[in-house]
Structure formats: C-alpha cells, structure tokens
Amino acid sequence: MKVGRRRLVAGNWKMNGSLAANERLLDALKAGLKPVAGLEFAVFAPFPYLAAISSLLSGSFIGWGAQDVSEHDVGAYTGEVSGSMLREFGCRYVLVGHSERRQLFGEVDMQVAAKFAAAQRHGLIPILCVGETLEQRELGATEVVVGRQLDAVLDLTGIVALKNAVVAYEPVWAIGTGKNASPDQAQAVHAFIRERLALRSKEIADAVTLLYGGSVKASNAAELFTQPDVDGGLIGGASLIADDFLAICKSAENA
Ligand code: 13P
C-alpha cells in the first residue's frame, strides 16, 4: 500500500526544449492536469529555462526542478550551478546522479553523494537516480551496483536525510531504448531498495518515495505504477509530448 507515501510523476526533459516549446507544453499540462491528493507532478528543465518556468508555473500545483546541481556552494567553479541559485528560481527538486551524468560526464558515487548533500543544504529535495547497466544486470550484479550507489549517499548523509529525498530506479538499459523494465523487474529492485534502506531505518524506508524511470509510456505506466513499491515515475521522452505525459499522469491517479 502506498498510503502515507508522497507519490510523484516527473518529466525529465533532458537537453530538449525552447522557450516557445516549453510554454506550449506547460500550457497543455496546466490545462490537462488537476490536483490529486497525495500525488505531485513536476518537470525537470535545462538551467536557462528555469526563470521562465518559475513564472509560467508560479501559483500552479505543478512543481519544477533542475537536472543537476553543483556539490559546491559558491566560488570559482566555472560552468557550475549551485543549490542556492536553483532555490532562487523556485526549484523544489533536483535530480542527482542521473545515469547520463554518471556515464557521459564521469560522475562517481562520492560526487553524487556530495551533490545530494548540497541539494539538501539549500532546501531542495534531491531525487537520487540509481540503476545498473545491461552488462551489470546480465552478470547478476544489479543489487551490488544499486546497493553501492545507495550506500555512498547513506554513508555521507545518514539515513535521516532520506526523509526528505526521493530515489529513482532507472535501469540504464531501459532509458531511451523503448524497452522498459517489466513490472516484476521494477518491483523486485524497488523492494530491494526499500530493504537496503530498512537496514538503517525501517520507518524511513517505508516512507520514502521510489520512482521508476526508463521507457515509461502511456501504454505501460499503469501496470508499473500499481506495483506495491513503485510510487510514481521519472519520464524522459514521453514527457516532451503533452498528451503522452498527461496520459501517464492519469495512470498514476488510479494506481
Ligand atoms: P526515457 O523515459 O526516455 O527512457 O528516459 C528515462 C529517464 O532517463 C528519465 O530520467
């Protein structure tokens, strides 16, 4: 049962969009979504669009966030964006450790943990992304990899930090491939994540929101979201198409 857990459906736009396209998309979301008790909606946009998004979404129940944050607070870090800057643009959430950051930009577990801590220092809710590659899954190493990614954060921040955070399980092999984890595969890893957190606090493990991400579509969302340990989704490609994202949000309403 998901009673008592925050549920969330969020769109990760990745490096897509334009001022005009974002406005069209957000207009469609504002028109198509209605508030649902216990369920939140959010979009994760590239940094330069956050100012426009904060005015387009101001006063609406749709939240927004960034796709990355610096582990540093201020200073000589050319190209970086701090958590306090994100707060100034009304971000509620920030993604940390997305697999594209890990794989394409060399982010390692310790750095992801530092970003998680920086997000919380600035009042942002980090969405910690974890997940294994296809090779790791085929080697039977999914739990080792996901466990290590979780422990890096827990060792730095302590389990209490998970009271105000979200974990997204995003198997790398399912991202942008059209090949989602089956509902059983997703549920099994979500249950493992909750068990791993429960080693440190069962109460916090039971309450933490766990999202699934990786080729979520209107056609598979309902079955994924009704799994007992799946509390919503982090949606890539389908979040750029208003009708698709709205249909996915709708599936979460009844899950
Ligand atoms: P897709 O939904 O495009 O597979 O992307 C998932 C993702 O990476 C969300 O963060």
Side-chain angles (χ1 to χ4, degrees):
M1 269 309 278
K2 295 166 186 174
V3 172
R5 285 210 290 269
R6 181 208 319 262
R7 294 192 301 130
L8 173 66
V9 179
N12 173 9
W13 293 355
K14 310 193 179 186
M15 200 176 73
N16 292 289
S18 67
L19 286 170
N22 300 347
E23 189 166 349
R24 278 196 302 274
L25 181 53
L26 293 178
D27 280 348
L29 299 190
K30 282 193 284 185
L33 288 174
K34 59 176 175 24
V36 180
L39 176 60
E40 294 180 38
F41 306 105
V43 294
F44 289 86
F47 294 131
Y49 296 133
L50 293 172
I53 288 173
S54 72
S55 55
L56 288 167
L57 290 182
S58 129
S60 99
F61 58 88
I62 305 170
W64 62 94
Q67 299 169 12
D68 189 20
V69 64
S70 175
E71 66 266 45
H72 305 291
D73 290 344
V74 67
Y77 301 104
T78 301
E80 292 290 277
V81 175
S82 72
S84 63
M85 295 171 186
L86 298 179
R87 283 294 295 171
E88 286 204 283
F89 291 97
C91 289
R92 176 168 165 74
Y93 300 100
V94 65
L95 302 182
V96 297
H98 190 280
S99 66
E100 288 150 16
R101 302 295 320 166
R102 294 178 191 261
Q103 294 216 305
L104 305 175
F105 302 99
E107 285 189 16
V108 295
D109 290 340
M110 286 303 297
Q111 189 182 8
V112 172
K115 289 183 175 206
F116 182 104
Q120 289 195 329
R121 271 200 303 283
H122 295 290
L124 296 159
I125 299 173
I127 301 197
L128 171 67
C129 303
V130 298
E132 81 287 3
T133 63
L134 183 59
E135 192 187 8
Q136 289 164 336
R137 173 163 281 262
E138 285 173 348
L139 285 169
T142 299
E143 295 190 355
V144 173
V145 171
V146 171
R148 192 196 67 220
Q149 292 170 335
L150 288 171
D151 285 351
V153 171
L154 295 171
D155 291 346
L156 182 73
T157 65
I159 185 69
V160 174
L162 267 286
K163 273 188 173 178
N164 213 13
V166 171
V167 179
Y169 170 56
E170 298 208 310
V172 179
W173 47 271
I175 295 179
T177 58
K179 185 178 182 301
N180 60 289
S182 70
D184 286 349
Q185 285 173 321
Q187 168 56 28
V189 180
H190 282 228
F192 164 75
I193 291 171
R194 230 180 269 291
E195 279 162 27
R196 189 76 167 210
L197 300 178
L199 294 176
R200 304 192 192 218
S201 163
K202 170 133 176 49
E203 192 193 329
I204 293 173
D206 285 345
V208 75
T209 300
L210 302 184
L211 308 182
Y212 168 78
S215 296
V216 177
K217 304 181 266 287
S219 57
N220 61 23
E223 216 190 336
L224 286 160
F225 294 166
T226 46
Q227 297 305 307
D229 286 298
V230 177
D231 306 313
L234 185 54
I235 322 300
S239 74
L240 298 168
I241 302 160
D243 286 347
D244 290 2
F245 190 62
L246 287 169
I248 291 168
C249 292
K250 188 100 197 129
S251 317
E253 279 178 33
N254 312 316

